[in-house]
Amino acid sequence: MARITGSWLSGSAAGLPMGADGKPARYRGERLGLPETGPRALATVGRRAGGLAIDWAIATVVAAAIGSMSWNLAVWAVVSIISVALFSMTPGQAAVGIGVARVDREAPVGLWRSVVRVALVGLVLPALFTDGDGRGVQDRLTSTAVIRSR
């Protein structure tokens, strides 16, 4: 039981993942080879939520212009899939200084990873289940992370 509750009862260090040497990581993202601060460091929850809110607002305006708010989710998904596949960031993510990067190797995110990420984020719940690095199911399944771009 201590192992289960340790991640939230023992303080912030207890929730960090183990490094390759079996010791707890010093910061979130260290195990992924990301810096602690600055560009390419893991994005905070606040920035990620801000980017999503901006993307959702854009989709709402476009759906309203189309004439039906029922298109809101579809517009958000299409814009997100295309922009992450092409630019590794959505318009909202660009506005708050974050983006999506692969953590398995230096390469573009690509179309299939973008589709899987957006589908899981659209379901909401997978994005709420995070690992010790703060990455949701959508990022773990696609070997990606949301990082700071500036």
Side-chain angles (χ1 to χ4, degrees):
M1 184 68 166
R3 174 127 171 90
I4 295 170
T5 59
S7 66
W8 60 277
L9 286 179
S10 302
S12 59
L16 292 173
M18 293 294 184
D21 57 2
K23 296 180 182 175
R26 292 178 294 132
Y27 60 89
R28 295 185 191 281
E30 179 181 32
R31 185 177 59 91
L32 303 170
L34 301 174
E36 185 174 4
T37 60
R40 295 205 45 87
L42 285 175
T44 62
V45 173
R47 282 189 187 216
R48 290 167 35 193
L52 182 61
I54 292 169
D55 288 333
W56 197 254
I58 292 168
T60 301
V61 169
V62 171
I66 292 172
S68 175
M69 292 305 290
S70 63
W71 286 95
N72 201 352
L73 181 61
V75 169
W76 169 81
V78 169
V79 169
S80 296
I81 288 169
I82 292 170
S83 59
V84 169
L86 294 177
F87 308 112
S88 296
M89 63 181 64
T90 66
Q93 288 174 337
V96 298
I98 62 176
V100 181
R102 288 181 57 174
V103 295
D104 59 342
R105 64 189 179 107
E106 195 68 33
V109 175
L111 183 61
W112 82 264
R113 281 180 172 80
S114 182
V115 169
V116 171
R117 286 188 85 259
V118 168
L120 291 171
V121 171
L123 293 175
V124 179
L125 284 178
L128 299 178
F129 292 100
T130 61
D131 64 8
D133 288 312
R135 297 185 316 148
V137 173
Q138 74 280 2
D139 287 324
R140 291 192 310 264
L141 287 177
T142 59
S143 297
T144 60
V146 179
I147 60 168
R148 292 180 53 185
S149 61
R150 55 179 185 240

